[in-house]
């Protein structure tokens, strides 16, 4: 048996690291799950001037326009020639639709997310922390030949932001927008609302139709259901 005192003494200087050993994790390094996500403000999808009508069916818009033209032309026809009355009806109806579009676009402007600062904003409005977002509402509308529009609305105390997850052409968010929005949702306080009569939220899906929880919201962003696919149970 060898004498322990005969064992070679450890070297005095620092030893060379074993190249096969994994490098220790730096606590200051970002989470690998979010390290590949873009930095700064990221536009989620792209809202155009007509995006506000994304959930409206062609029949509804056409019927409303014809009714408006007919109504205005009928009133104007009592005082001016029929051709001028028709032209006036078209002009007034177009003007009404333009005003409604401006108002709706002002209420739901282009959404942006900054994961580094943990903030969300709509258009040029003041950003709000993601942690303050506590409600998510799903709205859907059938369009075209069996299609479905899917819109997710996030709300905080004094803010509301809408995201078009699936539009009239059945298009969804691009991969970057999808990844950023899903990660942003994970950092929110979204939860199903409760009431004093149902503090456990057992019947929240009936008391607050359309509201969904955070996990369902993330799943919707990552896989927006097409027509015929099931919606979250809470919807």
């Amino acid at each position: 048996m060898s004498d322990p005192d005969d064992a070679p003494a450890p070297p005095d200087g620092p030893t060379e690291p074993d190249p096969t050993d994994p490098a220790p994790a730096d606590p200051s390094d970002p989470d690998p799950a979010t390290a590949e996500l873009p930095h700064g403000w990221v536009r989620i999808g792209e809202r155009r001037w007509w995006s506000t009508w994304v959930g409206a069916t062609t029949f509804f818009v056409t019927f409303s326009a014809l009714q408006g033209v007919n109504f205005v032309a009928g009133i104007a026809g009592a005082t001016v020639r029929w051709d001028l009355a028709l032209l006036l009806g078209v002009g007034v109806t177009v003007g009404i639709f333009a005003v409604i579009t401006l108002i709706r676009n002002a209420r739901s402007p282009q959404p942006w997310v900054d994961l580094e600062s943990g903030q969300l904003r709509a258009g040029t409005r003041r950003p709000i922390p993601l942690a303050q977002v506590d409600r998510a509402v799903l709205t859907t509308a059938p369009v075209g030949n069996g299609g479905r529009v899917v819109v997710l609305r996030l709300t905080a105390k004094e803010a509301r932001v809408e995201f078009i997850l699936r539009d009239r052409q059945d298009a969804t968010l691009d991969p970057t927008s999808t990844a950023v929005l899903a990660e942003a949702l994970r950092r929110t306080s979204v939860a199903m609302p409760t009431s004093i009569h149902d503090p456990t939220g057992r019947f929240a899906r009936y008391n607050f139709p359309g509201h969904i929880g955070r996990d369902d919201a993330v799943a919707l962003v990552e896989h927006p259901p097409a027509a015929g696919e099931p919606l979250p149970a809470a919807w």
Side-chain angles (χ1 to χ4, degrees):
M1 181 179 294
S2 61
D3 188 349
D5 294 336
D6 296 336
D12 296 333
T15 59
E16 292 292 332
D18 187 349
T20 61
D21 292 340
D26 185 351
S28 62
D29 288 344
D31 185 351
T34 60
E36 299 179 358
L37 294 175
H39 303 283
W41 287 105
V42 178
R43 182 180 63 189
I44 307 299
E46 184 177 2
R47 294 186 68 91
R48 303 181 185 276
W49 68 266
W50 43 261
S51 295
T52 185
W53 298 101
V54 68
T57 63
T58 303
F59 172 79
F60 169 77
V61 175
T62 303
F63 178 78
S64 300
L66 290 178
Q67 286 293 96
V69 171
N70 183 62
F71 177 75
V72 176
I75 295 177
T79 56
V80 299
R81 300 197 319 264
W82 70 268
D83 53 343
L84 294 179
L86 179 62
L87 183 62
L88 180 62
V90 172
V92 171
T93 302
V94 171
I96 292 175
F97 271 89
V99 171
I100 294 175
T101 301
L102 290 174
I103 294 175
R104 294 182 57 147
N105 283 340
R107 287 174 55 84
S108 302
Q110 174 69 53
W112 298 75
V113 170
D114 186 351
L115 293 177
E116 289 181 310
S117 62
Q119 296 185 103
L120 167 70
R121 68 178 170 87
T124 58
R125 297 174 183 172
R126 181 179 61 85
I128 60 172
L130 291 171
Q132 291 185 6
V133 179
D134 57 0
R135 293 288 183 270
V137 180
L138 169 66
T139 60
T140 66
V143 294
N145 297 323
R148 174 195 281 172
V149 168
V150 180
V151 178
L152 178 66
R153 182 169 70 247
L154 302 181
T155 60
K157 185 177 181 180
E158 298 179 354
R160 187 184 76 167
V161 185
E162 288 188 351
F163 302 89
I164 302 174
L165 305 184
R166 188 177 291 276
D167 64 13
R168 294 175 61 89
Q169 284 72 41
D170 208 38
T172 57
L173 294 175
D174 60 273
T176 299
S177 296
T178 299
V180 171
L181 180 55
E183 178 60 29
L185 278 168
R186 295 186 181 99
R187 304 184 187 185
T188 65
S189 303
V190 168
M192 287 292 293
T194 59
S195 67
I196 58 175
H197 304 292
D198 181 31
T200 63
R202 180 180 179 183
F203 302 101
R205 59 178 295 189
Y206 305 106
N207 296 329
F208 304 95
H211 286 74
I212 56 176
R214 181 168 56 187
D215 292 341
D216 282 335
V218 172
L220 280 171
V221 170
E222 295 180 334
H223 304 287
E229 296 180 347
L231 295 170
W235 190 80

